[in-house]
Amino acid sequence: MIRAVVVDDHAVVRSGIRLLLEREDDLEVVGEAGNGKDAIFAVRALKPDVILLDVVMPGESGIDVLPSLLKESPQTKVLVLSMQDDPSYVREAFAAGASGYVLKEAADEEVVAAVREIASGGRYVHPALGARMVTAEAEARAAAEADPLSEREREVLRLLALGHTNQEIAKMLYISVRTAETHRAHIMQKLRISTRAELVRYALAQGLLEPTARARSQPRRPSAARREPSSSARARSAAVPRRAPARERARSRAPGRRRCR
């Protein structure tokens, strides 16, 4: 007999799952819970074979509370029942310790089959979700192989290829020297290279040293000829009186004529 606990914040959903499972001779619902806290108490007391767990609940989500449930009963298997069909939810659920993931829109037969599968030690994913997960992972791998570096790492790579030191890069990018060193180590590891010459070759192949790429990443500063004076300079120039022309200065220094008495 497979003993199950149903965890969902909607009572009508819990009742429906109970009716579904108890129609089977080898399945029995031994407990219910409407939130994560009550689920922990139920699992601690009942030690079920399977937990049917909702994702979206008040307080802690199903994925958040899942590790605590397994801590209370390590031998228990968890089947996530969710309306979320995003592959990222599936990955999070399995990373947290789930053994299966089924959509709430699945047929009754599929839910029963999933419970039996994980109770026997297997794993189960809704077929459509499994196909989407494979596609998403393949696309992620292809993107990583095409360009394994992040935008920041590409920026650090360009500066390294141009001959800048870690200290100079840190100053130019407003990061710490330790962070610059970490970026360099990650670049070397991802590209599987060990010398600056290999860095330069890779940067050239990626077009990171082309003039247009360098111009985009470097801020332009106005030239000295076109640079406008600052407000403080303008104020100082306004405060200092202009000197009179030389001819006028000479005339002002000439002695005036004396009057005859």
Side-chain angles (χ1 to χ4, degrees):
M1 181 70 70
I2 299 173
R3 303 167 64 253
V5 167
V6 180
V7 182
D8 194 291
D9 58 323
H10 295 95
V12 65
V13 174
R14 297 197 303 270
S15 298
I17 295 174
R18 175 184 284 274
L19 291 174
L20 169 65
L21 298 182
E22 291 187 341
R23 289 188 311 196
E24 307 297 323
D25 295 335
D26 59 336
L27 301 179
E28 178 188 9
V29 175
V30 295
E32 298 181 10
N35 55 60
K37 184 177 180 180
D38 291 344
I40 291 174
F41 288 125
V43 171
R44 181 184 300 164
L46 299 170
K47 308 293 184 185
D49 300 307
V50 174
I51 302 170
L52 289 88
L53 180 65
D54 187 19
V55 171
V56 180
M57 296 187 297
E60 287 186 294
S61 71
I63 294 176
D64 290 336
V65 78
L66 202 158
S68 299
L69 298 177
L70 294 178
K71 184 177 180 180
E72 294 293 340
S73 182
Q75 302 304 318
T76 299
K77 308 300 181 183
V78 178
L79 176 64
V80 173
L81 286 175
S82 175
M83 297 179 62
Q84 308 296 331
D85 60 355
D86 190 329
S88 63
Y89 280 91
V90 185
R91 286 191 291 269
E92 288 181 17
F94 278 102
S99 297
Y101 194 104
V102 174
L103 296 178
K104 285 186 175 180
E105 63 189 33
D108 294 351
E109 294 79 7
E110 183 181 351
V111 175
V112 172
V115 170
R116 288 174 175 151
E117 179 66 23
I118 69 169
S120 63
R123 297 169 77 86
Y124 189 92
V125 179
H126 188 281
L129 279 176
R132 291 177 61 184
M133 285 182 65
V134 171
T135 301
E137 290 172 358
E139 291 175 351
R141 282 195 300 269
E145 291 174 359
D147 187 5
L149 303 181
S150 66
E151 189 65 28
R152 174 63 86 182
E153 289 170 341
R154 287 172 65 84
E155 194 172 9
V156 172
L157 168 62
R158 184 187 67 80
L159 295 175
L160 286 170
L162 290 173
H164 293 288
T165 64
N166 292 332
Q167 289 77 9
E168 292 171 341
I169 293 172
K171 186 175 181 180
M172 296 169 72
L173 300 183
Y174 303 99
I175 58 178
S176 67
V177 175
R178 183 180 295 275
T179 300
E181 293 172 348
T182 301
H183 283 313
R184 177 172 182 165
H186 287 169
I187 292 168
M188 295 287 197
Q189 182 179 8
K190 288 182 178 181
L191 300 182
R192 297 180 181 179
I193 58 180
S194 57
T195 65
R196 185 180 289 272
E198 292 174 308
L199 278 176
V200 174
R201 283 197 294 270
Y202 182 87
L204 285 170
Q206 294 294 315
L208 296 178
L209 302 184
E210 295 177 359
T212 54
R214 295 176 63 181
R216 283 196 301 267
S217 59
Q218 293 179 351
R220 294 183 178 180
R221 298 181 62 183
S223 62
R226 297 183 180 181
R227 196 173 299 167
E228 295 183 359
S230 63
S231 58
S232 58
R234 289 196 299 268
R236 288 195 301 269
S237 62
V240 178
R242 294 184 177 180
R243 298 185 65 183
R247 186 174 299 177
E248 293 183 6
R249 293 198 302 272
R251 186 179 303 170
S252 64
R253 288 197 298 269
R257 295 182 180 179
R258 296 181 178 179
R259 292 183 181 182
C260 296
R261 294 182 180 179

PDB file of all heavy atoms in Angstrom, residues 92-126:
ATOM      1  N   GLU A  92      13.891  23.760 -10.787  1.00  0.00           N
ATOM      2  CA  GLU A  92      13.959  24.152  -9.379  1.00  0.00           C
ATOM      3  C   GLU A  92      13.398  23.062  -8.476  1.00  0.00           C
ATOM      4  O   GLU A  92      13.944  22.788  -7.404  1.00  0.00           O
ATOM      5  CB  GLU A  92      13.193  25.451  -9.164  1.00  0.00           C
ATOM      6  CG  GLU A  92      13.867  26.685  -9.741  1.00  0.00           C
ATOM      7  CD  GLU A  92      13.068  27.945  -9.466  1.00  0.00           C
ATOM      8  OE1 GLU A  92      12.199  27.904  -8.577  1.00  0.00           O
ATOM      9  OE2 GLU A  92      13.305  28.962 -10.139  1.00  0.00           O
ATOM     10  N   ALA A  93      12.297  22.448  -8.914  1.00  0.00           N
ATOM     11  CA  ALA A  93      11.680  21.404  -8.104  1.00  0.00           C
ATOM     12  C   ALA A  93      12.608  20.206  -7.941  1.00  0.00           C
ATOM     13  O   ALA A  93      12.808  19.690  -6.833  1.00  0.00           O
ATOM     14  CB  ALA A  93      10.355  20.971  -8.733  1.00  0.00           C
ATOM     15  N   PHE A  94      13.212  19.757  -9.027  1.00  0.00           N
ATOM     16  CA  PHE A  94      14.123  18.616  -8.935  1.00  0.00           C
ATOM     17  C   PHE A  94      15.383  18.981  -8.159  1.00  0.00           C
ATOM     18  O   PHE A  94      15.926  18.153  -7.428  1.00  0.00           O
ATOM     19  CB  PHE A  94      14.466  18.112 -10.337  1.00  0.00           C
ATOM     20  CG  PHE A  94      13.416  17.208 -10.919  1.00  0.00           C
ATOM     21  CD1 PHE A  94      12.514  17.665 -11.851  1.00  0.00           C
ATOM     22  CD2 PHE A  94      13.326  15.882 -10.507  1.00  0.00           C
ATOM     23  CE1 PHE A  94      11.541  16.841 -12.380  1.00  0.00           C
ATOM     24  CE2 PHE A  94      12.354  15.032 -11.024  1.00  0.00           C
ATOM     25  CZ  PHE A  94      11.454  15.513 -11.960  1.00  0.00           C
ATOM     26  N   ALA A  95      15.850  20.218  -8.313  1.00  0.00           N
ATOM     27  CA  ALA A  95      17.023  20.651  -7.557  1.00  0.00           C
ATOM     28  C   ALA A  95      16.735  20.661  -6.060  1.00  0.00           C
ATOM     29  O   ALA A  95      17.637  20.419  -5.248  1.00  0.00           O
ATOM     30  CB  ALA A  95      17.465  22.042  -8.023  1.00  0.00           C
ATOM     31  N   ALA A  96      15.469  20.935  -5.686  1.00  0.00           N
ATOM     32  CA  ALA A  96      15.098  20.970  -4.271  1.00  0.00           C
ATOM     33  C   ALA A  96      14.854  19.584  -3.696  1.00  0.00           C
ATOM     34  O   ALA A  96      14.735  19.438  -2.471  1.00  0.00           O
ATOM     35  CB  ALA A  96      13.838  21.828  -4.077  1.00  0.00           C
ATOM     36  N   GLY A  97      14.765  18.561  -4.566  1.00  0.00           N
ATOM     37  CA  GLY A  97      14.605  17.196  -4.073  1.00  0.00           C
ATOM     38  C   GLY A  97      13.375  16.456  -4.553  1.00  0.00           C
ATOM     39  O   GLY A  97      13.130  15.324  -4.114  1.00  0.00           O
ATOM     40  N   ALA A  98      12.592  17.054  -5.448  1.00  0.00           N
ATOM     41  CA  ALA A  98      11.399  16.380  -5.952  1.00  0.00           C
ATOM     42  C   ALA A  98      11.785  15.181  -6.806  1.00  0.00           C
ATOM     43  O   ALA A  98      12.860  15.135  -7.409  1.00  0.00           O
ATOM     44  CB  ALA A  98      10.547  17.351  -6.768  1.00  0.00           C
ATOM     45  N   SER A  99      10.883  14.199  -6.852  1.00  0.00           N
ATOM     46  CA  SER A  99      11.083  13.015  -7.690  1.00  0.00           C
ATOM     47  C   SER A  99      10.197  13.036  -8.924  1.00  0.00           C
ATOM     48  O   SER A  99      10.410  12.244  -9.846  1.00  0.00           O
ATOM     49  CB  SER A  99      10.794  11.736  -6.893  1.00  0.00           C
ATOM     50  OG  SER A  99      11.692  11.610  -5.813  1.00  0.00           O
ATOM     51  N   GLY A 100       9.210  13.940  -8.941  1.00  0.00           N
ATOM     52  CA  GLY A 100       8.317  14.004 -10.096  1.00  0.00           C
ATOM     53  C   GLY A 100       7.640  15.356 -10.189  1.00  0.00           C
ATOM     54  O   GLY A 100       7.576  16.113  -9.214  1.00  0.00           O
ATOM     55  N   TYR A 101       7.159  15.667 -11.391  1.00  0.00           N
ATOM     56  CA  TYR A 101       6.488  16.949 -11.634  1.00  0.00           C
ATOM     57  C   TYR A 101       5.372  16.704 -12.632  1.00  0.00           C
ATOM     58  O   TYR A 101       5.609  16.248 -13.758  1.00  0.00           O
ATOM     59  CB  TYR A 101       7.497  17.956 -12.199  1.00  0.00           C
ATOM     60  CG  TYR A 101       7.040  19.399 -12.179  1.00  0.00           C
ATOM     61  CD1 TYR A 101       7.535  20.289 -11.224  1.00  0.00           C
ATOM     62  CD2 TYR A 101       6.125  19.888 -13.112  1.00  0.00           C
ATOM     63  CE1 TYR A 101       7.145  21.612 -11.201  1.00  0.00           C
ATOM     64  CE2 TYR A 101       5.722  21.209 -13.098  1.00  0.00           C
ATOM     65  CZ  TYR A 101       6.238  22.071 -12.148  1.00  0.00           C
ATOM     66  OH  TYR A 101       5.836  23.394 -12.130  1.00  0.00           O
ATOM     67  N   VAL A 102       4.143  17.009 -12.205  1.00  0.00           N
ATOM     68  CA  VAL A 102       2.966  16.783 -13.040  1.00  0.00           C
ATOM     69  C   VAL A 102       2.120  18.044 -13.043  1.00  0.00           C
ATOM     70  O   VAL A 102       1.952  18.694 -11.997  1.00  0.00           O
ATOM     71  CB  VAL A 102       2.130  15.586 -12.529  1.00  0.00           C
ATOM     72  CG1 VAL A 102       0.836  15.450 -13.307  1.00  0.00           C
ATOM     73  CG2 VAL A 102       2.931  14.300 -12.623  1.00  0.00           C
ATOM     74  N   LEU A 103       1.580  18.398 -14.203  1.00  0.00           N
ATOM     75  CA  LEU A 103       0.688  19.544 -14.294  1.00  0.00           C
ATOM     76  C   LEU A 103      -0.689  19.175 -13.753  1.00  0.00           C
ATOM     77  O   LEU A 103      -1.143  18.038 -13.891  1.00  0.00           O
ATOM     78  CB  LEU A 103       0.569  20.006 -15.749  1.00  0.00           C
ATOM     79  CG  LEU A 103       1.856  20.536 -16.397  1.00  0.00           C
ATOM     80  CD1 LEU A 103       1.580  20.906 -17.852  1.00  0.00           C
ATOM     81  CD2 LEU A 103       2.399  21.723 -15.630  1.00  0.00           C
ATOM     82  N   LYS A 104      -1.357  20.151 -13.145  1.00  0.00           N
ATOM     83  CA  LYS A 104      -2.681  19.892 -12.582  1.00  0.00           C
ATOM     84  C   LYS A 104      -3.709  19.597 -13.665  1.00  0.00           C
ATOM     85  O   LYS A 104      -4.765  19.024 -13.381  1.00  0.00           O
ATOM     86  CB  LYS A 104      -3.135  21.086 -11.753  1.00  0.00           C
ATOM     87  CG  LYS A 104      -2.423  21.189 -10.405  1.00  0.00           C
ATOM     88  CD  LYS A 104      -3.004  22.294  -9.547  1.00  0.00           C
ATOM     89  CE  LYS A 104      -2.367  22.308  -8.169  1.00  0.00           C
ATOM     90  NZ  LYS A 104      -2.914  23.371  -7.290  1.00  0.00           N
ATOM     91  N   GLU A 105      -3.407  19.984 -14.888  1.00  0.00           N
ATOM     92  CA  GLU A 105      -4.331  19.708 -15.985  1.00  0.00           C
ATOM     93  C   GLU A 105      -4.167  18.290 -16.537  1.00  0.00           C
ATOM     94  O   GLU A 105      -4.877  17.888 -17.460  1.00  0.00           O
ATOM     95  CB  GLU A 105      -4.087  20.698 -17.125  1.00  0.00           C
ATOM     96  CG  GLU A 105      -2.709  20.605 -17.747  1.00  0.00           C
ATOM     97  CD  GLU A 105      -2.424  21.725 -18.723  1.00  0.00           C
ATOM     98  OE1 GLU A 105      -2.915  22.841 -18.515  1.00  0.00           O
ATOM     99  OE2 GLU A 105      -1.691  21.471 -19.695  1.00  0.00           O
ATOM    100  N   ALA A 106      -3.237  17.516 -15.962  1.00  0.00           N
ATOM    101  CA  ALA A 106      -2.986  16.163 -16.444  1.00  0.00           C
ATOM    102  C   ALA A 106      -4.192  15.269 -16.186  1.00  0.00           C
ATOM    103  O   ALA A 106      -5.004  15.511 -15.279  1.00  0.00           O
ATOM    104  CB  ALA A 106      -1.746  15.588 -15.763  1.00  0.00           C
ATOM    105  N   ALA A 107      -4.280  14.227 -16.960  1.00  0.00           N
ATOM    106  CA  ALA A 107      -5.374  13.265 -16.794  1.00  0.00           C
ATOM    107  C   ALA A 107      -5.202  12.502 -15.484  1.00  0.00           C
ATOM    108  O   ALA A 107      -4.095  12.385 -14.944  1.00  0.00           O
ATOM    109  CB  ALA A 107      -5.394  12.287 -17.971  1.00  0.00           C
ATOM    110  N   ASP A 108      -6.328  11.992 -14.973  1.00  0.00           N
ATOM    111  CA  ASP A 108      -6.285  11.251 -13.710  1.00  0.00           C
ATOM    112  C   ASP A 108      -5.312  10.081 -13.786  1.00  0.00           C
ATOM    113  O   ASP A 108      -4.570   9.809 -12.831  1.00  0.00           O
ATOM    114  CB  ASP A 108      -7.682  10.731 -13.364  1.00  0.00           C
ATOM    115  CG  ASP A 108      -8.662  11.864 -13.069  1.00  0.00           C
ATOM    116  OD1 ASP A 108      -8.204  13.024 -12.962  1.00  0.00           O
ATOM    117  OD2 ASP A 108      -9.866  11.588 -12.943  1.00  0.00           O
ATOM    118  N   GLU A 109      -5.328   9.372 -14.903  1.00  0.00           N
ATOM    119  CA  GLU A 109      -4.465   8.203 -15.055  1.00  0.00           C
ATOM    120  C   GLU A 109      -2.987   8.583 -14.951  1.00  0.00           C
ATOM    121  O   GLU A 109      -2.184   7.812 -14.416  1.00  0.00           O
ATOM    122  CB  GLU A 109      -4.731   7.511 -16.387  1.00  0.00           C
ATOM    123  CG  GLU A 109      -6.117   6.894 -16.518  1.00  0.00           C
ATOM    124  CD  GLU A 109      -7.186   7.945 -16.841  1.00  0.00           C
ATOM    125  OE1 GLU A 109      -6.809   9.127 -17.096  1.00  0.00           O
ATOM    126  OE2 GLU A 109      -8.380   7.588 -16.821  1.00  0.00           O
ATOM    127  N   GLU A 110      -2.651   9.772 -15.459  1.00  0.00           N
ATOM    128  CA  GLU A 110      -1.251  10.195 -15.410  1.00  0.00           C
ATOM    129  C   GLU A 110      -0.819  10.477 -13.978  1.00  0.00           C
ATOM    130  O   GLU A 110       0.297  10.129 -13.578  1.00  0.00           O
ATOM    131  CB  GLU A 110      -1.037  11.435 -16.274  1.00  0.00           C
ATOM    132  CG  GLU A 110       0.423  11.891 -16.313  1.00  0.00           C
ATOM    133  CD  GLU A 110       0.636  13.129 -17.157  1.00  0.00           C
ATOM    134  OE1 GLU A 110      -0.304  13.557 -17.855  1.00  0.00           O
ATOM    135  OE2 GLU A 110       1.744  13.688 -17.091  1.00  0.00           O
ATOM    136  N   VAL A 111      -1.670  11.108 -13.192  1.00  0.00           N
ATOM    137  CA  VAL A 111      -1.328  11.402 -11.798  1.00  0.00           C
ATOM    138  C   VAL A 111      -1.105  10.101 -11.031  1.00  0.00           C
ATOM    139  O   VAL A 111      -0.122   9.963 -10.282  1.00  0.00           O
ATOM    140  CB  VAL A 111      -2.435  12.243 -11.134  1.00  0.00           C
ATOM    141  CG1 VAL A 111      -2.127  12.446  -9.650  1.00  0.00           C
ATOM    142  CG2 VAL A 111      -2.586  13.575 -11.836  1.00  0.00           C
ATOM    143  N   VAL A 112      -1.992   9.130 -11.217  1.00  0.00           N
ATOM    144  CA  VAL A 112      -1.858   7.844 -10.530  1.00  0.00           C
ATOM    145  C   VAL A 112      -0.579   7.144 -10.966  1.00  0.00           C
ATOM    146  O   VAL A 112       0.167   6.591 -10.134  1.00  0.00           O
ATOM    147  CB  VAL A 112      -3.085   6.960 -10.821  1.00  0.00           C
ATOM    148  CG1 VAL A 112      -2.865   5.545 -10.281  1.00  0.00           C
ATOM    149  CG2 VAL A 112      -4.340   7.563 -10.192  1.00  0.00           C
ATOM    150  N   ALA A 113      -0.288   7.162 -12.267  1.00  0.00           N
ATOM    151  CA  ALA A 113       0.927   6.520 -12.773  1.00  0.00           C
ATOM    152  C   ALA A 113       2.173   7.196 -12.219  1.00  0.00           C
ATOM    153  O   ALA A 113       3.170   6.525 -11.887  1.00  0.00           O
ATOM    154  CB  ALA A 113       0.932   6.558 -14.299  1.00  0.00           C
ATOM    155  N   ALA A 114       2.140   8.539 -12.087  1.00  0.00           N
ATOM    156  CA  ALA A 114       3.287   9.261 -11.548  1.00  0.00           C
ATOM    157  C   ALA A 114       3.519   8.908 -10.089  1.00  0.00           C
ATOM    158  O   ALA A 114       4.669   8.742  -9.654  1.00  0.00           O
ATOM    159  CB  ALA A 114       3.063  10.758 -11.700  1.00  0.00           C
ATOM    160  N   VAL A 115       2.451   8.784  -9.300  1.00  0.00           N
ATOM    161  CA  VAL A 115       2.582   8.410  -7.889  1.00  0.00           C
ATOM    162  C   VAL A 115       3.219   7.024  -7.774  1.00  0.00           C
ATOM    163  O   VAL A 115       4.154   6.815  -6.970  1.00  0.00           O
ATOM    164  CB  VAL A 115       1.211   8.432  -7.193  1.00  0.00           C
ATOM    165  CG1 VAL A 115       1.306   7.821  -5.798  1.00  0.00           C
ATOM    166  CG2 VAL A 115       0.679   9.862  -7.107  1.00  0.00           C
ATOM    167  N   ARG A 116       2.766   6.091  -8.559  1.00  0.00           N
ATOM    168  CA  ARG A 116       3.320   4.739  -8.502  1.00  0.00           C
ATOM    169  C   ARG A 116       4.786   4.721  -8.950  1.00  0.00           C
ATOM    170  O   ARG A 116       5.616   4.002  -8.380  1.00  0.00           O
ATOM    171  CB  ARG A 116       2.487   3.797  -9.370  1.00  0.00           C
ATOM    172  CG  ARG A 116       1.107   3.478  -8.775  1.00  0.00           C
ATOM    173  CD  ARG A 116       0.271   2.672  -9.726  1.00  0.00           C
ATOM    174  NE  ARG A 116      -1.012   2.263  -9.113  1.00  0.00           N
ATOM    175  CZ  ARG A 116      -2.133   2.062  -9.807  1.00  0.00           C
ATOM    176  NH1 ARG A 116      -2.125   2.235 -11.132  1.00  0.00           N
ATOM    177  NH2 ARG A 116      -3.242   1.710  -9.188  1.00  0.00           N
ATOM    178  N   GLU A 117       5.099   5.530  -9.971  1.00  0.00           N
ATOM    179  CA  GLU A 117       6.462   5.550 -10.507  1.00  0.00           C
ATOM    180  C   GLU A 117       7.469   6.055  -9.467  1.00  0.00           C
ATOM    181  O   GLU A 117       8.511   5.442  -9.251  1.00  0.00           O
ATOM    182  CB  GLU A 117       6.512   6.422 -11.755  1.00  0.00           C
ATOM    183  CG  GLU A 117       7.881   6.539 -12.391  1.00  0.00           C
ATOM    184  CD  GLU A 117       8.394   5.226 -12.960  1.00  0.00           C
ATOM    185  OE1 GLU A 117       7.567   4.349 -13.260  1.00  0.00           O
ATOM    186  OE2 GLU A 117       9.627   5.089 -13.094  1.00  0.00           O
ATOM    187  N   ILE A 118       7.152   7.171  -8.827  1.00  0.00           N
ATOM    188  CA  ILE A 118       8.120   7.717  -7.868  1.00  0.00           C
ATOM    189  C   ILE A 118       8.141   6.903  -6.579  1.00  0.00           C
ATOM    190  O   ILE A 118       9.170   6.815  -5.914  1.00  0.00           O
ATOM    191  CB  ILE A 118       7.849   9.204  -7.574  1.00  0.00           C
ATOM    192  CG1 ILE A 118       6.561   9.395  -6.796  1.00  0.00           C
ATOM    193  CG2 ILE A 118       7.839  10.017  -8.849  1.00  0.00           C
ATOM    194  CD1 ILE A 118       6.368  10.809  -6.257  1.00  0.00           C
ATOM    195  N   ALA A 119       7.013   6.285  -6.213  1.00  0.00           N
ATOM    196  CA  ALA A 119       6.985   5.440  -5.019  1.00  0.00           C
ATOM    197  C   ALA A 119       7.893   4.233  -5.184  1.00  0.00           C
ATOM    198  O   ALA A 119       8.454   3.721  -4.195  1.00  0.00           O
ATOM    199  CB  ALA A 119       5.561   4.994  -4.716  1.00  0.00           C
ATOM    200  N   SER A 120       8.076   3.779  -6.419  1.00  0.00           N
ATOM    201  CA  SER A 120       8.942   2.624  -6.677  1.00  0.00           C
ATOM    202  C   SER A 120      10.399   3.033  -6.882  1.00  0.00           C
ATOM    203  O   SER A 120      11.241   2.188  -7.201  1.00  0.00           O
ATOM    204  CB  SER A 120       8.449   1.872  -7.922  1.00  0.00           C
ATOM    205  OG  SER A 120       8.533   2.706  -9.079  1.00  0.00           O
ATOM    206  N   GLY A 121      10.689   4.332  -6.714  1.00  0.00           N
ATOM    207  CA  GLY A 121      12.068   4.787  -6.828  1.00  0.00           C
ATOM    208  C   GLY A 121      12.410   5.461  -8.142  1.00  0.00           C
ATOM    209  O   GLY A 121      13.563   5.877  -8.348  1.00  0.00           O
ATOM    210  N   GLY A 122      11.423   5.586  -9.037  1.00  0.00           N
ATOM    211  CA  GLY A 122      11.676   6.219 -10.327  1.00  0.00           C
ATOM    212  C   GLY A 122      11.456   7.728 -10.274  1.00  0.00           C
ATOM    213  O   GLY A 122      11.232   8.315  -9.208  1.00  0.00           O
ATOM    214  N   ARG A 123      11.512   8.337 -11.433  1.00  0.00           N
ATOM    215  CA  ARG A 123      11.277   9.776 -11.574  1.00  0.00           C
ATOM    216  C   ARG A 123      10.252   9.974 -12.684  1.00  0.00           C
ATOM    217  O   ARG A 123      10.167   9.184 -13.626  1.00  0.00           O
ATOM    218  CB  ARG A 123      12.576  10.527 -11.904  1.00  0.00           C
ATOM    219  CG  ARG A 123      13.609  10.411 -10.798  1.00  0.00           C
ATOM    220  CD  ARG A 123      14.961  10.919 -11.247  1.00  0.00           C
ATOM    221  NE  ARG A 123      15.029  12.373 -11.268  1.00  0.00           N
ATOM    222  CZ  ARG A 123      15.328  13.120 -10.220  1.00  0.00           C
ATOM    223  NH1 ARG A 123      15.565  12.546  -9.038  1.00  0.00           N
ATOM    224  NH2 ARG A 123      15.403  14.422 -10.305  1.00  0.00           N
ATOM    225  N   TYR A 124       9.496  11.058 -12.548  1.00  0.00           N
ATOM    226  CA  TYR A 124       8.439  11.289 -13.535  1.00  0.00           C
ATOM    227  C   TYR A 124       8.325  12.780 -13.847  1.00  0.00           C
ATOM    228  O   TYR A 124       8.351  13.619 -12.939  1.00  0.00           O
ATOM    229  CB  TYR A 124       7.087  10.773 -13.023  1.00  0.00           C
ATOM    230  CG  TYR A 124       6.010  10.798 -14.082  1.00  0.00           C
ATOM    231  CD1 TYR A 124       5.778   9.681 -14.884  1.00  0.00           C
ATOM    232  CD2 TYR A 124       5.246  11.939 -14.299  1.00  0.00           C
ATOM    233  CE1 TYR A 124       4.810   9.695 -15.870  1.00  0.00           C
ATOM    234  CE2 TYR A 124       4.275  11.970 -15.293  1.00  0.00           C
ATOM    235  CZ  TYR A 124       4.062  10.847 -16.077  1.00  0.00           C
ATOM    236  OH  TYR A 124       3.112  10.867 -17.061  1.00  0.00           O
ATOM    237  N   VAL A 125       8.203  13.080 -15.150  1.00  0.00           N
ATOM    238  CA  VAL A 125       7.952  14.441 -15.608  1.00  0.00           C
ATOM    239  C   VAL A 125       6.871  14.369 -16.681  1.00  0.00           C
ATOM    240  O   VAL A 125       6.878  13.463 -17.524  1.00  0.00           O
ATOM    241  CB  VAL A 125       9.226  15.098 -16.199  1.00  0.00           C
ATOM    242  CG1 VAL A 125       8.918  16.504 -16.693  1.00  0.00           C
ATOM    243  CG2 VAL A 125      10.329  15.146 -15.166  1.00  0.00           C
ATOM    244  N   HIS A 126       5.965  15.309 -16.638  1.00  0.00           N
ATOM    245  CA  HIS A 126       4.933  15.407 -17.666  1.00  0.00           C
ATOM    246  C   HIS A 126       5.610  15.378 -19.041  1.00  0.00           C
ATOM    247  O   HIS A 126       6.586  16.100 -19.277  1.00  0.00           O
ATOM    248  CB  HIS A 126       4.162  16.717 -17.477  1.00  0.00           C
ATOM    249  CG  HIS A 126       2.958  16.848 -18.348  1.00  0.00           C
ATOM    250  ND1 HIS A 126       3.029  17.203 -19.672  1.00  0.00           N
ATOM    251  CD2 HIS A 126       1.634  16.680 -18.080  1.00  0.00           C
ATOM    252  CE1 HIS A 126       1.826  17.261 -20.182  1.00  0.00           C
ATOM    253  NE2 HIS A 126       0.960  16.934 -19.234  1.00  0.00           N
TER     254      HIS A 126
END
